[in-house]
């Protein structure tokens, strides 16, 4: 339990399992463009920022450490209604060694990137929409096998349901060889505040 000013703001629960042999199957890696055929997130924002009044993501610096290549990008200021599915290739920019604890900590951080936006895709709103309020409420992650973050991983995301100002998202991380290495699930707040009317 993490506390701030004496109040609980975060709860984490973790479980561990000794490796053993057993039944094995997985859902196949979806068809998508190669990361070599896609623009990096940093290059996209450097090109787009002057066109939208200099607006930039608040965490743009993360793209120096993490190379992100988005599949099926939506325009931030003019979002169209689309299927609640998206994906992105990710890898870290420098070698991080073979310690799986470090690899998994980094992937846990990365797993929140653009995840909530999946539930927004069927609606004409984005994080840039005036009055939009979004926050991650619950986030779960499962690690299936070892992986290397200095090699490309594909993050496939879908959102089967949204209602009551909450969106539910699911995610799957695949290696380039098509091996499902980790899975995620998240519930996020997605609220559009009505403008205040002066009385």
């Amino acid at each position: 339990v993490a506390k701030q000013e004496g109040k609980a703001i975060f709860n984490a629960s973790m479980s561990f399992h000794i490796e053993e042999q057993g039944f094995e199957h997985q859902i196949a890696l979806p068809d998508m463009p190669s990361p070599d055929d896609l623009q990096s997130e940093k290059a996209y924002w450097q090109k787009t920022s002057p066109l939208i009044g200099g607006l930039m993501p608040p965490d743009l610096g993360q793209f120096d450490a993490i190379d992100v290549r988005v599949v099926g990008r939506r325009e931030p200021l003019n979002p169209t209604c689309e299927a609640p599915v998206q994906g992105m290739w990710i890898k870290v920019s420098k070698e991080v060694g073979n310690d799986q604890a470090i690899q998994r900590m980094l992937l846990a951080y990365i797993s929140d990137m653009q995840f909530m936006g999946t539930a927004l895709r069927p609606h004409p709103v984005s994080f840039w929409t005036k009055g939009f309020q979004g926050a991650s409420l619950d986030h779960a992650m499962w690690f299936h096998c070892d992986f290397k973050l200095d090699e490309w991983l594909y993050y496939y995301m879908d959102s089967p349901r949204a209602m009551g100002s909450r969106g539910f998202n699911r995610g799957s991380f695949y290696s380039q060889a098509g091996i499902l290495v980790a899975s995620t699930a998240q519930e996020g707040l997605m609220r559009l505040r009505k403008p205040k009317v002066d009385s």
Side-chain angles (χ1 to χ4, degrees):
V1 179
K3 294 183 179 180
Q4 186 172 325
E5 297 180 356
K7 295 181 180 180
I9 60 167
F10 177 81
N11 289 287
S13 175
M14 287 163 269
S15 62
F16 302 89
H17 181 83
I18 296 172
E19 287 188 23
E20 60 180 292
Q21 297 297 313
F23 300 110
E24 188 171 330
H25 75 272
Q26 71 164 62
I27 294 174
L29 172 69
D31 290 330
M32 89 298 294
S34 160
D36 297 330
D37 297 330
L38 298 167
Q39 184 180 39
S40 75
E41 193 74 343
K42 184 174 183 178
Y44 168 79
W45 282 106
Q46 287 173 333
K47 180 180 178 182
T48 304
S49 175
L51 305 177
I52 57 174
L55 292 174
M56 296 284 268
D59 51 359
L60 185 67
Q62 71 186 349
F63 300 126
D64 289 326
I66 304 164
D67 193 348
V68 177
R69 311 284 175 101
V70 175
V71 176
R73 180 189 307 279
R74 286 203 309 166
E75 292 301 319
L77 297 185
N78 188 27
T80 54
C81 297
E82 300 179 19
V85 175
Q86 65 175 340
M88 63 181 186
W89 288 101
I90 58 99
K91 77 171 179 177
V92 294
S93 302
K94 296 181 180 179
E95 289 188 22
V96 291
N98 295 315
D99 186 335
Q100 282 299 303
I102 293 174
Q103 306 273 353
R104 293 175 187 205
M105 283 187 286
L106 288 169
L107 195 64
Y109 170 78
I110 291 169
S111 71
D112 199 41
M113 294 173 63
Q114 305 202 24
F115 201 13
M116 258 189 59
T118 315
L120 292 178
R121 293 179 71 88
H123 313 282
V125 296
S126 76
F127 291 101
W128 302 91
T129 301
K130 189 174 182 180
F132 178 76
Q133 179 187 16
S136 178
L137 300 175
D138 302 289
H139 193 103
M141 191 160 192
W142 297 264
F143 298 100
H144 307 307
C145 62
D146 291 351
F147 55 87
K148 286 182 64 63
L149 266 173
D150 50 12
E151 298 175 359
W152 288 110
L153 293 180
Y154 184 70
Y155 193 15
Y156 174 80
M157 297 164 273
D158 72 353
S159 175
R161 185 72 163 126
M163 68 168 295
S165 295
R166 301 181 317 276
F168 176 63
N169 305 296
R170 302 179 297 193
S172 302
F173 282 99
Y174 291 89
S175 70
Q176 275 193 291
I179 298 170
L180 180 63
V181 302
S183 298
T184 55
Q186 179 201 65
E187 182 184 45
L189 175 71
M190 39 189 284
R191 178 182 292 145
L192 192 59
R193 293 182 176 275
K194 294 179 181 178
K196 292 181 180 179
V197 178
D198 295 330
S199 54

